mmCIF file with all atom_site columns, all heavy atoms in Angstrom:
data_model
loop_
_atom_site.group_PDB
_atom_site.id
_atom_site.type_symbol
_atom_site.label_atom_id
_atom_site.label_alt_id
_atom_site.label_comp_id
_atom_site.label_asym_id
_atom_site.label_entity_id
_atom_site.label_seq_id
_atom_site.pdbx_PDB_ins_code
_atom_site.Cartn_x
_atom_site.Cartn_y
_atom_site.Cartn_z
_atom_site.occupancy
_atom_site.B_iso_or_equiv
_atom_site.pdbx_formal_charge
_atom_site.auth_seq_id
_atom_site.auth_comp_id
_atom_site.auth_asym_id
_atom_site.auth_atom_id
_atom_site.pdbx_PDB_model_num
ATOM 1   N N   . ARG A 1 21  ? 125.022 88.346  90.869  1.00 0.00 ? 910  ARG A N   1
ATOM 2   C CA  . ARG A 1 21  ? 124.258 87.192  91.384  1.00 0.00 ? 910  ARG A CA  1
ATOM 3   C C   . ARG A 1 21  ? 123.488 86.485  90.251  1.00 0.00 ? 910  ARG A C   1
ATOM 4   O O   . ARG A 1 21  ? 122.914 87.154  89.400  1.00 0.00 ? 910  ARG A O   1
ATOM 5   C CB  . ARG A 1 21  ? 123.284 87.733  92.430  1.00 0.00 ? 910  ARG A CB  1
ATOM 6   C CG  . ARG A 1 21  ? 122.416 86.584  93.050  1.00 0.00 ? 910  ARG A CG  1
ATOM 7   C CD  . ARG A 1 21  ? 121.598 87.164  94.220  1.00 0.00 ? 910  ARG A CD  1
ATOM 8   N NE  . ARG A 1 21  ? 120.709 88.231  93.806  1.00 0.00 ? 910  ARG A NE  1
ATOM 9   C CZ  . ARG A 1 21  ? 119.521 88.051  93.240  1.00 0.00 ? 910  ARG A CZ  1
ATOM 10  N NH1 . ARG A 1 21  ? 119.065 86.803  93.038  1.00 0.00 ? 910  ARG A NH1 1
ATOM 11  N NH2 . ARG A 1 21  ? 118.808 89.080  92.855  1.00 0.00 ? 910  ARG A NH2 1
ATOM 12  N N   . ARG A 1 22  ? 123.496 85.152  90.280  1.00 0.00 ? 911  ARG A N   1
ATOM 13  C CA  . ARG A 1 22  ? 122.823 84.371  89.245  1.00 0.00 ? 911  ARG A CA  1
ATOM 14  C C   . ARG A 1 22  ? 121.751 83.403  89.758  1.00 0.00 ? 911  ARG A C   1
ATOM 15  O O   . ARG A 1 22  ? 121.085 82.758  89.004  1.00 0.00 ? 911  ARG A O   1
ATOM 16  C CB  . ARG A 1 22  ? 123.867 83.613  88.427  1.00 0.00 ? 911  ARG A CB  1
ATOM 17  C CG  . ARG A 1 22  ? 124.827 84.454  87.659  1.00 0.00 ? 911  ARG A CG  1
ATOM 18  C CD  . ARG A 1 22  ? 124.147 85.254  86.561  1.00 0.00 ? 911  ARG A CD  1
ATOM 19  N NE  . ARG A 1 22  ? 125.039 86.131  85.812  1.00 0.00 ? 911  ARG A NE  1
ATOM 20  C CZ  . ARG A 1 22  ? 125.307 87.402  86.109  1.00 0.00 ? 911  ARG A CZ  1
ATOM 21  N NH1 . ARG A 1 22  ? 124.687 87.950  87.139  1.00 0.00 ? 911  ARG A NH1 1
ATOM 22  N NH2 . ARG A 1 22  ? 126.112 88.096  85.381  1.00 0.00 ? 911  ARG A NH2 1
ATOM 23  N N   . ARG A 1 67  ? 107.500 131.005 103.151 1.00 0.00 ? 956  ARG A N   1
ATOM 24  C CA  . ARG A 1 67  ? 108.805 131.501 103.562 1.00 0.00 ? 956  ARG A CA  1
ATOM 25  C C   . ARG A 1 67  ? 108.689 132.686 104.525 1.00 0.00 ? 956  ARG A C   1
ATOM 26  O O   . ARG A 1 67  ? 109.560 132.890 105.373 1.00 0.00 ? 956  ARG A O   1
ATOM 27  C CB  . ARG A 1 67  ? 109.627 131.874 102.327 1.00 0.00 ? 956  ARG A CB  1
ATOM 28  C CG  . ARG A 1 67  ? 111.037 132.385 102.613 1.00 0.00 ? 956  ARG A CG  1
ATOM 29  C CD  . ARG A 1 67  ? 111.834 131.437 103.502 1.00 0.00 ? 956  ARG A CD  1
ATOM 30  N NE  . ARG A 1 67  ? 112.150 130.153 102.854 1.00 0.00 ? 956  ARG A NE  1
ATOM 31  C CZ  . ARG A 1 67  ? 112.698 129.150 103.536 1.00 0.00 ? 956  ARG A CZ  1
ATOM 32  N NH1 . ARG A 1 67  ? 112.913 129.231 104.829 1.00 0.00 ? 956  ARG A NH1 1
ATOM 33  N NH2 . ARG A 1 67  ? 112.940 128.004 102.904 1.00 0.00 ? 956  ARG A NH2 1
ATOM 34  N N   . GLY A 1 70  ? 103.511 134.939 108.446 1.00 0.00 ? 959  GLY A N   1
ATOM 35  C CA  . GLY A 1 70  ? 102.113 135.119 108.044 1.00 0.00 ? 959  GLY A CA  1
ATOM 36  C C   . GLY A 1 70  ? 101.729 134.293 106.805 1.00 0.00 ? 959  GLY A C   1
ATOM 37  O O   . GLY A 1 70  ? 100.540 134.185 106.459 1.00 0.00 ? 959  GLY A O   1
ATOM 38  N N   . LEU A 1 106 ? 88.725  129.063 107.868 1.00 0.00 ? 995  LEU A N   1
ATOM 39  C CA  . LEU A 1 106 ? 89.340  130.339 108.143 1.00 0.00 ? 995  LEU A CA  1
ATOM 40  C C   . LEU A 1 106 ? 89.982  130.908 106.857 1.00 0.00 ? 995  LEU A C   1
ATOM 41  O O   . LEU A 1 106 ? 90.006  132.108 106.641 1.00 0.00 ? 995  LEU A O   1
ATOM 42  C CB  . LEU A 1 106 ? 90.424  130.159 109.186 1.00 0.00 ? 995  LEU A CB  1
ATOM 43  C CG  . LEU A 1 106 ? 89.905  129.715 110.553 1.00 0.00 ? 995  LEU A CG  1
ATOM 44  C CD1 . LEU A 1 106 ? 91.007  129.206 111.428 1.00 0.00 ? 995  LEU A CD1 1
ATOM 45  C CD2 . LEU A 1 106 ? 89.150  130.887 111.231 1.00 0.00 ? 995  LEU A CD2 1
ATOM 46  N N   . GLY A 1 151 ? 91.469  128.312 121.383 1.00 0.00 ? 1040 GLY A N   1
ATOM 47  C CA  . GLY A 1 151 ? 92.456  128.547 120.340 1.00 0.00 ? 1040 GLY A CA  1
ATOM 48  C C   . GLY A 1 151 ? 92.310  127.494 119.211 1.00 0.00 ? 1040 GLY A C   1
ATOM 49  O O   . GLY A 1 151 ? 91.560  126.543 119.340 1.00 0.00 ? 1040 GLY A O   1
ATOM 50  N N   . ILE A 1 155 ? 98.044  120.683 115.364 1.00 0.00 ? 1044 ILE A N   1
ATOM 51  C CA  . ILE A 1 155 ? 98.447  119.348 114.950 1.00 0.00 ? 1044 ILE A CA  1
ATOM 52  C C   . ILE A 1 155 ? 99.964  119.242 115.094 1.00 0.00 ? 1044 ILE A C   1
ATOM 53  O O   . ILE A 1 155 ? 100.704 120.227 114.914 1.00 0.00 ? 1044 ILE A O   1
ATOM 54  C CB  . ILE A 1 155 ? 98.059  119.135 113.455 1.00 0.00 ? 1044 ILE A CB  1
ATOM 55  C CG1 . ILE A 1 155 ? 96.537  119.150 113.334 1.00 0.00 ? 1044 ILE A CG1 1
ATOM 56  C CG2 . ILE A 1 155 ? 98.572  117.756 112.953 1.00 0.00 ? 1044 ILE A CG2 1
ATOM 57  C CD1 . ILE A 1 155 ? 96.051  119.367 111.920 1.00 0.00 ? 1044 ILE A CD1 1
ATOM 58  N N   . PRO A 1 162 ? 114.477 121.939 105.556 1.00 0.00 ? 1051 PRO A N   1
ATOM 59  C CA  . PRO A 1 162 ? 113.360 122.594 104.809 1.00 0.00 ? 1051 PRO A CA  1
ATOM 60  C C   . PRO A 1 162 ? 112.131 121.707 104.638 1.00 0.00 ? 1051 PRO A C   1
ATOM 61  O O   . PRO A 1 162 ? 111.158 122.158 104.070 1.00 0.00 ? 1051 PRO A O   1
ATOM 62  C CB  . PRO A 1 162 ? 114.024 122.851 103.436 1.00 0.00 ? 1051 PRO A CB  1
ATOM 63  C CG  . PRO A 1 162 ? 114.982 121.743 103.284 1.00 0.00 ? 1051 PRO A CG  1
ATOM 64  C CD  . PRO A 1 162 ? 115.535 121.459 104.668 1.00 0.00 ? 1051 PRO A CD  1
ATOM 65  N N   . LYS A 1 171 ? 100.137 111.670 120.435 1.00 0.00 ? 1060 LYS A N   1
ATOM 66  C CA  . LYS A 1 171 ? 101.021 110.894 121.283 1.00 0.00 ? 1060 LYS A CA  1
ATOM 67  C C   . LYS A 1 171 ? 102.227 110.327 120.459 1.00 0.00 ? 1060 LYS A C   1
ATOM 68  O O   . LYS A 1 171 ? 102.986 109.530 120.967 1.00 0.00 ? 1060 LYS A O   1
ATOM 69  C CB  . LYS A 1 171 ? 100.301 109.720 121.905 1.00 0.00 ? 1060 LYS A CB  1
ATOM 70  C CG  . LYS A 1 171 ? 99.171  110.143 122.846 1.00 0.00 ? 1060 LYS A CG  1
ATOM 71  C CD  . LYS A 1 171 ? 98.445  108.954 123.445 1.00 0.00 ? 1060 LYS A CD  1
ATOM 72  C CE  . LYS A 1 171 ? 97.345  109.413 124.390 1.00 0.00 ? 1060 LYS A CE  1
ATOM 73  N NZ  . LYS A 1 171 ? 96.608  108.207 124.961 1.00 0.00 ? 1060 LYS A NZ  1
ATOM 74  N N   . ALA A 1 172 ? 102.330 110.727 119.216 1.00 0.00 ? 1061 ALA A N   1
ATOM 75  C CA  . ALA A 1 172 ? 103.401 110.183 118.349 1.00 0.00 ? 1061 ALA A CA  1
ATOM 76  C C   . ALA A 1 172 ? 104.778 110.543 118.929 1.00 0.00 ? 1061 ALA A C   1
ATOM 77  O O   . ALA A 1 172 ? 105.008 111.607 119.502 1.00 0.00 ? 1061 ALA A O   1
ATOM 78  C CB  . ALA A 1 172 ? 103.294 110.753 116.963 1.00 0.00 ? 1061 ALA A CB  1
ATOM 79  N N   . VAL A 1 208 ? 94.530  104.839 90.687  1.00 0.00 ? 1097 VAL A N   1
ATOM 80  C CA  . VAL A 1 208 ? 95.074  103.623 91.298  1.00 0.00 ? 1097 VAL A CA  1
ATOM 81  C C   . VAL A 1 208 ? 95.159  103.820 92.794  1.00 0.00 ? 1097 VAL A C   1
ATOM 82  O O   . VAL A 1 208 ? 95.229  104.890 93.318  1.00 0.00 ? 1097 VAL A O   1
ATOM 83  C CB  . VAL A 1 208 ? 96.489  103.294 90.734  1.00 0.00 ? 1097 VAL A CB  1
ATOM 84  C CG1 . VAL A 1 208 ? 96.424  103.116 89.203  1.00 0.00 ? 1097 VAL A CG1 1
ATOM 85  C CG2 . VAL A 1 208 ? 97.494  104.343 91.129  1.00 0.00 ? 1097 VAL A CG2 1
ATOM 86  N N   . TYR A 1 225 ? 112.069 97.474  81.102  1.00 0.00 ? 1114 TYR A N   1
ATOM 87  C CA  . TYR A 1 225 ? 110.890 97.276  80.235  1.00 0.00 ? 1114 TYR A CA  1
ATOM 88  C C   . TYR A 1 225 ? 110.064 98.546  80.125  1.00 0.00 ? 1114 TYR A C   1
ATOM 89  O O   . TYR A 1 225 ? 109.891 99.092  79.078  1.00 0.00 ? 1114 TYR A O   1
ATOM 90  C CB  . TYR A 1 225 ? 110.057 96.104  80.808  1.00 0.00 ? 1114 TYR A CB  1
ATOM 91  C CG  . TYR A 1 225 ? 110.989 94.963  81.249  1.00 0.00 ? 1114 TYR A CG  1
ATOM 92  C CD1 . TYR A 1 225 ? 111.235 94.688  82.548  1.00 0.00 ? 1114 TYR A CD1 1
ATOM 93  C CD2 . TYR A 1 225 ? 111.675 94.235  80.242  1.00 0.00 ? 1114 TYR A CD2 1
ATOM 94  C CE1 . TYR A 1 225 ? 112.143 93.714  82.945  1.00 0.00 ? 1114 TYR A CE1 1
ATOM 95  C CE2 . TYR A 1 225 ? 112.575 93.227  80.613  1.00 0.00 ? 1114 TYR A CE2 1
ATOM 96  C CZ  . TYR A 1 225 ? 112.783 92.987  81.958  1.00 0.00 ? 1114 TYR A CZ  1
ATOM 97  O OH  . TYR A 1 225 ? 113.696 91.983  82.334  1.00 0.00 ? 1114 TYR A OH  1
ATOM 98  N N   . ASN A 1 247 ? 111.585 100.720 111.351 1.00 0.00 ? 1136 ASN A N   1
ATOM 99  C CA  . ASN A 1 247 ? 110.420 101.598 111.268 1.00 0.00 ? 1136 ASN A CA  1
ATOM 100 C C   . ASN A 1 247 ? 109.739 101.582 109.897 1.00 0.00 ? 1136 ASN A C   1
ATOM 101 O O   . ASN A 1 247 ? 109.005 102.469 109.562 1.00 0.00 ? 1136 ASN A O   1
ATOM 102 C CB  . ASN A 1 247 ? 110.757 103.061 111.653 1.00 0.00 ? 1136 ASN A CB  1
ATOM 103 C CG  . ASN A 1 247 ? 111.308 103.177 113.050 1.00 0.00 ? 1136 ASN A CG  1
ATOM 104 O OD1 . ASN A 1 247 ? 111.063 102.347 113.886 1.00 0.00 ? 1136 ASN A OD1 1
ATOM 105 N ND2 . ASN A 1 247 ? 112.120 104.228 113.276 1.00 0.00 ? 1136 ASN A ND2 1
ATOM 106 N N   . SER A 1 266 ? 124.643 115.557 86.632  1.00 0.00 ? 1155 SER A N   1
ATOM 107 C CA  . SER A 1 266 ? 123.993 116.474 87.570  1.00 0.00 ? 1155 SER A CA  1
ATOM 108 C C   . SER A 1 266 ? 124.802 117.778 87.652  1.00 0.00 ? 1155 SER A C   1
ATOM 109 O O   . SER A 1 266 ? 125.879 117.853 88.236  1.00 0.00 ? 1155 SER A O   1
ATOM 110 C CB  . SER A 1 266 ? 123.941 115.886 88.987  1.00 0.00 ? 1155 SER A CB  1
ATOM 111 O OG  . SER A 1 266 ? 123.304 116.734 89.912  1.00 0.00 ? 1155 SER A OG  1
ATOM 112 N N   . PRO A 1 279 ? 125.342 109.361 95.477  1.00 0.00 ? 1168 PRO A N   1
ATOM 113 C CA  . PRO A 1 279 ? 124.379 109.825 94.490  1.00 0.00 ? 1168 PRO A CA  1
ATOM 114 C C   . PRO A 1 279 ? 124.936 109.934 93.077  1.00 0.00 ? 1168 PRO A C   1
ATOM 115 O O   . PRO A 1 279 ? 124.155 110.147 92.111  1.00 0.00 ? 1168 PRO A O   1
ATOM 116 C CB  . PRO A 1 279 ? 123.969 111.231 95.027  1.00 0.00 ? 1168 PRO A CB  1
ATOM 117 C CG  . PRO A 1 279 ? 124.255 111.180 96.473  1.00 0.00 ? 1168 PRO A CG  1
ATOM 118 C CD  . PRO A 1 279 ? 125.526 110.363 96.557  1.00 0.00 ? 1168 PRO A CD  1
ATOM 119 N N   . PHE A 1 289 ? 108.507 105.407 105.568 1.00 0.00 ? 1178 PHE A N   1
ATOM 120 C CA  . PHE A 1 289 ? 107.138 104.860 105.771 1.00 0.00 ? 1178 PHE A CA  1
ATOM 121 C C   . PHE A 1 289 ? 106.171 106.008 106.116 1.00 0.00 ? 1178 PHE A C   1
ATOM 122 O O   . PHE A 1 289 ? 106.533 106.917 106.917 1.00 0.00 ? 1178 PHE A O   1
ATOM 123 C CB  . PHE A 1 289 ? 107.180 103.841 106.906 1.00 0.00 ? 1178 PHE A CB  1
ATOM 124 C CG  . PHE A 1 289 ? 105.816 103.237 107.188 1.00 0.00 ? 1178 PHE A CG  1
ATOM 125 C CD1 . PHE A 1 289 ? 105.341 102.160 106.418 1.00 0.00 ? 1178 PHE A CD1 1
ATOM 126 C CD2 . PHE A 1 289 ? 105.051 103.708 108.221 1.00 0.00 ? 1178 PHE A CD2 1
ATOM 127 C CE1 . PHE A 1 289 ? 104.110 101.596 106.671 1.00 0.00 ? 1178 PHE A CE1 1
ATOM 128 C CE2 . PHE A 1 289 ? 103.801 103.139 108.495 1.00 0.00 ? 1178 PHE A CE2 1
ATOM 129 C CZ  . PHE A 1 289 ? 103.346 102.074 107.717 1.00 0.00 ? 1178 PHE A CZ  1
ATOM 130 N N   . SER A 1 315 ? 94.127  107.931 93.897  1.00 0.00 ? 1204 SER A N   1
ATOM 131 C CA  . SER A 1 315 ? 95.113  108.624 94.724  1.00 0.00 ? 1204 SER A CA  1
ATOM 132 C C   . SER A 1 315 ? 95.613  109.866 93.985  1.00 0.00 ? 1204 SER A C   1
ATOM 133 O O   . SER A 1 315 ? 95.258  110.140 92.810  1.00 0.00 ? 1204 SER A O   1
ATOM 134 C CB  . SER A 1 315 ? 96.286  107.669 95.020  1.00 0.00 ? 1204 SER A CB  1
ATOM 135 O OG  . SER A 1 315 ? 96.823  107.154 93.825  1.00 0.00 ? 1204 SER A OG  1
ATOM 136 N N   . VAL A 1 353 ? 101.349 103.040 83.206  1.00 0.00 ? 1242 VAL A N   1
ATOM 137 C CA  . VAL A 1 353 ? 101.154 101.615 83.152  1.00 0.00 ? 1242 VAL A CA  1
ATOM 138 C C   . VAL A 1 353 ? 100.326 101.057 84.339  1.00 0.00 ? 1242 VAL A C   1
ATOM 139 O O   . VAL A 1 353 ? 99.747  99.979  84.234  1.00 0.00 ? 1242 VAL A O   1
ATOM 140 C CB  . VAL A 1 353 ? 102.516 100.853 83.077  1.00 0.00 ? 1242 VAL A CB  1
ATOM 141 C CG1 . VAL A 1 353 ? 103.201 100.775 84.409  1.00 0.00 ? 1242 VAL A CG1 1
ATOM 142 C CG2 . VAL A 1 353 ? 102.367 99.492  82.403  1.00 0.00 ? 1242 VAL A CG2 1
ATOM 143 N N   . ARG A 1 399 ? 95.869  89.618  105.498 1.00 0.00 ? 1288 ARG A N   1
ATOM 144 C CA  . ARG A 1 399 ? 97.112  89.802  106.222 1.00 0.00 ? 1288 ARG A CA  1
ATOM 145 C C   . ARG A 1 399 ? 98.288  89.297  105.383 1.00 0.00 ? 1288 ARG A C   1
ATOM 146 O O   . ARG A 1 399 ? 98.139  88.474  104.522 1.00 0.00 ? 1288 ARG A O   1
ATOM 147 C CB  . ARG A 1 399 ? 97.121  89.043  107.531 1.00 0.00 ? 1288 ARG A CB  1
ATOM 148 C CG  . ARG A 1 399 ? 96.097  89.516  108.573 1.00 0.00 ? 1288 ARG A CG  1
ATOM 149 C CD  . ARG A 1 399 ? 96.107  88.619  109.779 1.00 0.00 ? 1288 ARG A CD  1
ATOM 150 N NE  . ARG A 1 399 ? 94.952  88.802  110.612 1.00 0.00 ? 1288 ARG A NE  1
ATOM 151 C CZ  . ARG A 1 399 ? 94.590  87.984  111.556 1.00 0.00 ? 1288 ARG A CZ  1
ATOM 152 N NH1 . ARG A 1 399 ? 95.317  86.859  111.807 1.00 0.00 ? 1288 ARG A NH1 1
ATOM 153 N NH2 . ARG A 1 399 ? 93.478  88.182  112.288 1.00 0.00 ? 1288 ARG A NH2 1
ATOM 154 N N   . VAL A 1 400 ? 99.480  89.836  105.687 1.00 0.00 ? 1289 VAL A N   1
ATOM 155 C CA  . VAL A 1 400 ? 100.704 89.281  105.181 1.00 0.00 ? 1289 VAL A CA  1
ATOM 156 C C   . VAL A 1 400 ? 101.542 88.757  106.333 1.00 0.00 ? 1289 VAL A C   1
ATOM 157 O O   . VAL A 1 400 ? 101.653 89.404  107.359 1.00 0.00 ? 1289 VAL A O   1
ATOM 158 C CB  . VAL A 1 400 ? 101.508 90.327  104.354 1.00 0.00 ? 1289 VAL A CB  1
ATOM 159 C CG1 . VAL A 1 400 ? 100.765 90.735  103.143 1.00 0.00 ? 1289 VAL A CG1 1
ATOM 160 C CG2 . VAL A 1 400 ? 101.934 91.512  105.193 1.00 0.00 ? 1289 VAL A CG2 1
ATOM 161 N N   . GLN A 1 409 ? 118.398 96.004  108.836 1.00 0.00 ? 1298 GLN A N   1
ATOM 162 C CA  . GLN A 1 409 ? 119.701 96.437  109.338 1.00 0.00 ? 1298 GLN A CA  1
ATOM 163 C C   . GLN A 1 409 ? 119.460 97.469  110.435 1.00 0.00 ? 1298 GLN A C   1
ATOM 164 O O   . GLN A 1 409 ? 119.007 98.582  110.187 1.00 0.00 ? 1298 GLN A O   1
ATOM 165 C CB  . GLN A 1 409 ? 120.505 97.086  108.208 1.00 0.00 ? 1298 GLN A CB  1
ATOM 166 C CG  . GLN A 1 409 ? 120.867 96.093  107.129 1.00 0.00 ? 1298 GLN A CG  1
ATOM 167 C CD  . GLN A 1 409 ? 121.842 96.664  106.105 1.00 0.00 ? 1298 GLN A CD  1
ATOM 168 O OE1 . GLN A 1 409 ? 122.209 97.782  106.187 1.00 0.00 ? 1298 GLN A OE1 1
ATOM 169 N NE2 . GLN A 1 409 ? 122.249 95.842  105.154 1.00 0.00 ? 1298 GLN A NE2 1
#
Side-chain angles (χ1 to χ4, degrees):
R910 181 174 58 84
R911 296 295 178 268
R956 181 53 66 189
L995 298 164
I1044 298 162
K1060 298 180 180 179
V1097 301
Y1114 317 107
N1136 302 335
S1155 182
F1178 181 81
S1204 53
V1242 78
R1288 296 176 195 165
V1289 296
Q1298 295 189 358

